Amino acid sequence: MPTNETILILDFGSQYTQLIARKIREFNVYSEIHRFDFLIDEIKKLNPAGIIFSGGPMSVYDEGAPSIDETIFELNVPILGICYGLQLISKHFNGKVEPAKNREYGKAELEILDAKSPLFKGVRNGSVVWMSHGDYVTKLPEGFSVIALTENSPVAAIGNDERKIYGVQFHPEVAHTEEGGKILLNFLVNVCNVSRSWTAQNFIASKIKEIRETVGDGKILLALSGGVDSSVAAVLLHKAIGDNLICVHVDNGLMRKNESAKIVRIFKENFNLHIVHVDAADVFLEKLKGVEDPEKKRKIIGETFIEVFEREARKFGEVEYFAQGTLYPDVIESVPVKGASVTIKTHHNVGGLPEKMNLKLIEPFRELFKDEVRAIGRELGLPEKFIRRHPFPGPGLAVRILGEITSERLQILREADKIYIDELHAAGIYDEIWQAFAVLLPVKTVGVMGDARTYENVIALRAVISVDGMTADWYRFPYEVLESVSNKIIRNVKGVNRVVYDVSSKPPATIEWE
């Protein structure tokens, strides 16, 4: 949803790039991320109010290090370089970057040399910043002055007020940088002069207008899974085109216990939507028979969804559009910064659907993070029970069963997952957690039940806290809750004799196991 107040973030491979976008959006300013080689003509079309160069893992002098079209500096657009971005600015303006004698990783105290710099207005001198670099600027770029330093970085921040170009060696986007939010806000307001008008209300109004202009009197087929994204999308699209929205809920056999029937009933009774319920469980399970590779599972499920939706579309005559709840993290994680090997995973909502469908694709939330969709849902009046639901992957339980998908294994996981989620509600901690789910592992372990030896399945429990799903930390459970969940699963789910808890953060792990 580009505006003339968009902040463009060019990604040079930093693990923190998504945090920059999130921080900026928290200030009601729209931002979007593009690869470092985003074409200069596309930048001109976007007409950003400001540009941020992200950090990155390489040195600016490394062979194959990502660079930019240097005419970007002639666009007269304010620029902020972060870490690697600072070094790119220095290199372009004839500065010098060299390996640091004392590398900085972690916290450092920032000494502000120019308190009048628009970047540091109201920023406390001596505040903690987060460093993560092995190179530093040893010769100042022409036209710039040093505006801050740390003990091991004599050039921790630079500025050229006339050209409105700034660079910082630290990461203002991470929580460890105490005044980082204030520094970013200073760049937005004092340097880029944005009005901070990007709100849920404005998004809804402009998106409804955009959908009406695009679709006209046409019909939209929406994939309604019942999760937060598709539920909010259904209400938004219904406001835009009314009864020309046809919601199709596909039971792919990979849903949680009793979920399909519950979703259809709730939406028909409460939202007055036109819903078609398609039972395609046998079709999906047949195609997944014998498949163990997670990427193959995702692609098979995506392709089968296409077949089902196109078949349903033909039943309603002239349906031209297909809508789904793709989110910005889906898009970001599916597009590598440099080389295909860096792709984290192919998302169900991104990996192949648009190219193969005979319907035109509409993704109203493609540029939004999960918490932003929740804010829009609240603005549209959806019940809190829908807004607060944990994310559920498009491929469903297929990516929570490691190895082959069978009816027996699905039944085991459904029962274990229901016990787990019910216990979270009973303990009153469901809303403290971003996402929680059970995983069925492809291993069996020895156990003892009664006087008999058992050789049965292992269930792994996952629970994370997060803001947008781009980074996450494992949830610290009260021991008594974990004990209760474990006991109930082992006692009540036939075929399980061991429960383990996943204490991995993202990164390095992903939230889902596949």
Side-chain angles (χ1 to χ4, degrees):
M1 187 183 171
T3 72
N4 60 359
E5 293 202 337
T6 296
I7 299 298
L8 169 64
I9 301 165
L10 294 181
D11 184 14
F12 292 87
S14 170
Q15 61 178 317
Y16 302 133
T17 301
Q18 294 80 19
L19 289 179
I20 304 171
R22 284 295 307 116
K23 285 289 185 182
I24 290 172
R25 291 183 182 200
E26 287 174 7
F27 296 123
N28 294 329
V29 177
Y30 179 71
S31 64
E32 60 181 58
I33 300 169
H34 289 276
R35 280 171 48 112
F36 64 90
D37 55 0
F38 193 47
L39 295 176
I40 198 73
D41 287 343
E42 294 300 316
I43 295 175
K44 290 177 180 178
K45 287 180 189 176
L46 190 62
N47 189 26
I51 298 172
I52 295 178
F53 299 160
S54 82
M58 301 184 75
S59 166
V60 290
Y61 296 114
D62 285 346
E63 184 177 350
S67 190
I68 50 173
D69 184 331
E70 296 194 347
T71 58
I72 196 170
F73 293 106
E74 308 307 320
L75 296 179
N76 294 319
V77 175
I79 294 173
L80 173 64
I82 296 174
C83 198
Y84 185 90
L86 161 70
Q87 294 164 20
L88 273 176
I89 292 170
S90 298
K91 181 183 176 186
H92 173 76
F93 288 100
N94 299 316
K96 190 172 184 179
V97 179
E98 294 182 289
K101 293 179 181 177
N102 297 302
R103 298 184 175 190
E104 281 189 301
Y105 294 100
K107 296 178 180 179
E109 286 191 7
L110 187 71
E111 180 182 343
I112 297 172
L113 302 179
D114 183 4
K116 293 182 179 179
S117 169
L119 206 62
F120 292 136
K121 184 179 180 180
V123 175
R124 179 171 56 85
N125 196 23
S127 65
V128 170
V129 297
W130 186 259
M131 292 286 191
S132 180
H133 67 100
D135 295 332
Y136 69 157
V137 177
T138 56
K139 177 189 173 186
L140 200 61
E142 294 172 3
F144 288 78
S145 59
V146 180
I147 57 177
L149 55 80
T150 66
E151 183 180 356
N152 291 317
S153 286
V155 182
I158 61 173
N160 183 321
D161 293 338
E162 184 180 349
R163 301 194 63 159
K164 295 186 176 181
I165 300 176
Y166 300 88
V168 294
Q169 186 63 72
F170 54 89
H171 289 273
E173 69 273 24
V174 303
H176 299 299
T177 298
E178 294 175 340
E179 303 272 73
K182 192 175 291 184
I183 292 169
L184 288 174
L185 182 59
N186 281 339
F187 177 69
L188 300 176
V189 176
N190 299 335
V191 182
C192 301
N193 296 314
V194 296
S195 63
R196 301 177 63 187
S197 59
W198 192 69
T199 63
Q201 298 97 315
N202 290 342
F203 177 90
I204 291 167
S206 63
K207 187 59 68 173
I208 286 176
K209 181 174 181 286
E210 176 188 318
I211 292 166
R212 286 173 177 165
E213 290 175 351
T214 300
V215 177
D217 294 328
K219 294 179 180 178
I220 297 178
L221 205 64
L222 169 71
L224 179 63
S225 69
V228 174
D229 311 327
S230 65
S231 297
V232 177
V235 176
L236 177 68
L237 290 167
H238 191 255
K239 278 186 173 291
I241 64 169
D243 292 340
N244 279 348
L245 173 68
I246 303 164
C247 299
V248 177
H249 174 73
V250 175
D251 182 355
N252 56 11
L254 305 169
M255 305 292 284
R256 290 169 288 201
K257 187 173 182 179
N258 301 326
E259 187 157 25
S260 281
K262 186 188 301 182
I263 289 167
V264 173
R265 184 181 71 254
I266 289 173
F267 273 92
K268 282 186 175 179
E269 291 176 356
N270 296 281
F271 297 101
N272 196 30
L273 297 176
H274 180 186
I275 299 179
V276 178
H277 183 200
V278 180
D279 185 353
D282 291 344
V283 175
F284 280 85
L285 294 183
E286 179 62 31
K287 291 194 174 188
L288 288 167
K289 187 178 293 184
V291 178
E292 297 187 3
D293 180 80
E295 279 294 287
K296 287 183 180 178
K297 289 180 190 176
R298 289 175 178 274
K299 288 177 180 176
I300 288 170
I301 293 166
E303 290 167 356
T304 307
F305 261 112
I306 294 170
E307 295 170 7
V308 171
F309 274 97
E310 288 191 327
R311 186 179 68 233
E312 291 302 315
R314 288 193 289 270
K315 295 179 182 178
F316 296 99
E318 296 297 322
V319 176
E320 192 176 355
Y321 299 93
F322 169 75
Q324 61 179 8
T326 306
L327 298 187
Y328 204 28
D330 300 340
V331 178
I332 294 168
E333 288 193 344
S334 295
V335 179
V337 171
K338 188 177 182 185
S341 63
V342 187
T343 301
I344 297 172
K345 59 187 173 184
T346 301
H347 281 267
H348 173 69
N349 286 357
V350 180
L353 293 181
E355 296 85 353
K356 297 182 179 179
M357 292 199 68
N358 294 323
L359 302 172
K360 296 176 184 176
L361 192 64
I362 289 181
E363 297 171 310
F365 303 143
R366 187 179 175 88
E367 64 266 13
L368 300 185
F369 290 92
K370 175 73 75 173
D371 59 316
E372 293 169 332
V373 174
R374 287 189 167 120
I376 288 165
R378 290 188 181 97
E379 192 68 29
L380 289 169
L382 271 78
E384 196 64 22
K385 66 181 179 181
F386 272 97
I387 301 301
R388 298 301 305 170
R389 290 192 74 190
H390 292 179
F392 188 65
L397 300 182
V399 292
R400 293 178 179 175
I401 294 176
L402 277 58
E404 184 180 5
I405 310 299
T406 67
S407 296
E408 179 187 4
R409 302 187 82 204
L410 281 164
Q411 180 64 18
I412 290 172
L413 183 57
R414 283 194 186 101
E415 295 299 329
D417 191 75
K418 185 176 189 307
I419 290 170
Y420 182 26
I421 301 304
D422 285 351
E423 285 294 290
L424 298 185
H425 283 293
I429 59 176
Y430 180 86
D431 288 341
E432 296 178 12
I433 298 169
W434 162 267
Q435 191 172 3
F437 54 90
V439 180
L440 181 61
L441 304 186
V443 295
K444 291 189 175 184
T445 66
V446 174
V448 178
M449 290 187 179
D451 294 324
R453 178 183 182 275
T454 62
Y455 190 59
E456 294 179 333
N457 296 281
V458 179
I459 289 287
L461 305 178
R462 182 76 157 139
V464 298
I465 51 175
S466 180
V467 173
D468 51 37
M470 299 307 302
T471 60
D473 193 13
W474 57 279
Y475 180 74
R476 273 63 172 174
F477 269 110
Y479 290 146
E480 60 270 19
V481 176
L482 277 178
E483 180 182 26
S484 177
V485 172
S486 176
N487 288 342
K488 287 186 178 181
I489 288 175
I490 293 172
R491 200 164 53 231
N492 294 290
V493 182
K494 186 177 180 181
V496 175
N497 68 358
R498 193 179 299 270
V499 174
V500 298
Y501 184 52
D502 180 353
V503 293
S504 308
S505 61
K506 175 187 179 181
T510 54
I511 295 177
E512 297 285 348
W513 278 46
E514 285 198 343

